[in-house]
Amino acid sequence: MMQELVAFAERIGPVYAALIATTFTWMLTAAGAGIVFFFRTINRAVFDTLLGFTGGVMLAASFWSLLLPSIHHGAEQFPDTPWLPAAIGFLLGGLFIFSLDKLLPHMHVNFQRTEGVKTDWQKSTLLVLAITLHNIPEGLAIGILFGAAAQGVAGASTAAAIALAIGIGIQNLPEGMSVSMPLRRVGYSRSKSFWYGQLSAAVEPVAGVVGAIAVSHTQSFLPFALAFAAGAMIFVIVEEVIPETQRDKYTDLAVLGFMAGFTLMMILDVGLG
């Protein structure tokens, strides 16, 4: 099955492959948001475990799928300082999300903390924007990795890009729930809660196509771009995902979920990529 997927992705090219892969991750977000049609609330222990799982997948993807290929490719361009592109790209990626975090109005899933510039936008809009911040680097990562594979970057492959899309898609299931369930809990209808939940990942296909196009025509940019996506994801993990799992009494379950997510993504990347 993987061989057929790889052959198909290589045949249609990195941009279309990134579009299809990120549409897949968007649809899994919608599937997660669809849980709201069956339940009004989700147990906090389950929620924290799933959120920890999300962080683990993102962390593993940042290293195995992005930073490692960045370092490998950087060694070809900068044999004396192979770490340089990875270090620069990583920091720039974190600063990019830091800037969005300060500028873009958004609300965390607990409805107790609003960040970004002051606005009178509705809570639903602010919550969608919070999860959208998660999904921008995820879409970029998939697109950039497809582009890197098409350029023959050491450590990057189409199979690894597909594995990354599968891993991010799996962790998007709880992300969809993390929008739709809180909205349902505070009184939104099931249909509106679902709509806002799936909408949070609509940015992924856009980011994926942008990432694939950006790196498809120049190899010198690739190690920086790979590390940029990794830095963006790490910022989201440390600034938002992990703190959210530590607000209740289920911190141990969140850590176990984190380890499970990391392990799954590592297996997907190493085993399939």
Side-chain angles (χ1 to χ4, degrees):
M1 180 63 176
M2 177 57 75
Q3 291 179 342
E4 287 80 3
L5 288 175
V6 169
F8 174 72
E10 291 176 346
R11 186 166 62 251
I12 63 176
V15 175
Y16 286 112
L19 176 62
I20 293 172
T22 49
T23 299
F24 164 76
T25 61
W26 178 16
M27 292 301 100
L28 285 184
T29 304
I35 298 296
V36 77
F37 289 111
F38 306 98
F39 302 97
R40 184 182 179 88
T41 61
I42 184 171
N43 182 275
R44 183 68 200 197
V46 174
F47 180 80
D48 284 348
T49 303
L50 292 175
L51 200 57
F53 178 87
T54 294
V57 169
M58 293 174 71
L59 180 62
S62 298
F63 177 73
W64 296 102
S65 300
L66 300 168
L67 275 178
L68 201 57
S70 172
I71 293 170
H72 285 162
H73 191 55
E76 297 176 359
Q77 294 186 25
F78 304 89
D80 294 328
T81 54
W83 46 266
L84 185 63
I88 293 174
F90 184 81
L91 293 174
L92 288 177
L95 288 172
F96 172 70
I97 298 299
F98 171 79
S99 301
L100 289 181
D101 193 58
K102 295 303 178 186
L103 294 174
L104 187 67
H106 61 284
M107 176 175 287
H108 292 248
V109 295
N110 54 26
F111 288 108
Q112 296 175 1
R113 186 158 57 102
T114 302
E115 295 182 349
V117 297
K118 300 298 182 182
T119 180
D120 57 358
W121 292 351
Q122 293 183 342
K123 288 182 177 180
S124 57
T125 302
L126 295 175
L127 184 57
V128 168
L129 289 175
I131 305 301
T132 298
L133 279 174
H134 291 200
N135 292 325
I136 291 173
E138 292 172 5
L140 278 175
I142 293 171
I144 288 171
L145 194 55
F146 271 111
Q151 293 288 329
V153 171
S157 67
T158 301
I162 293 172
L164 177 63
I166 293 172
I168 288 178
I170 291 171
Q171 62 96 35
N172 274 3
L173 286 165
E175 277 197 358
M177 285 189 287
S178 72
V179 178
S180 64
M181 298 302 285
L183 290 176
R184 178 62 179 155
R185 191 170 61 246
V186 299
Y188 282 77
S189 68
R190 285 187 172 88
S191 58
K192 279 191 174 181
S193 298
F194 167 76
W195 171 254
Y196 286 119
Q198 64 81 32
L199 189 63
S200 65
V203 71
E204 286 199 7
V206 177
V209 168
V210 168
I213 292 174
V215 303
S216 291
H217 304 293
T218 172
Q219 283 213 10
S220 60
F221 177 66
L222 279 170
F224 297 94
L226 288 163
F228 180 93
M233 286 211 287
I234 292 294
F235 186 94
V236 169
I237 296 166
V238 177
E239 196 273 338
E240 204 154 316
V241 176
I242 292 177
E244 202 62 51
T245 67
Q246 304 300 302
R247 295 182 181 277
D248 219 310
K249 60 183 179 180
Y250 303 108
T251 56
D252 288 347
L253 292 177
V255 173
L256 291 174
F258 187 95
M259 295 181 68
F262 186 96
T263 302
L264 176 63
M265 188 64 234
M266 180 179 64
I267 291 172
L268 284 173
D269 190 87
V270 177
L272 300 180

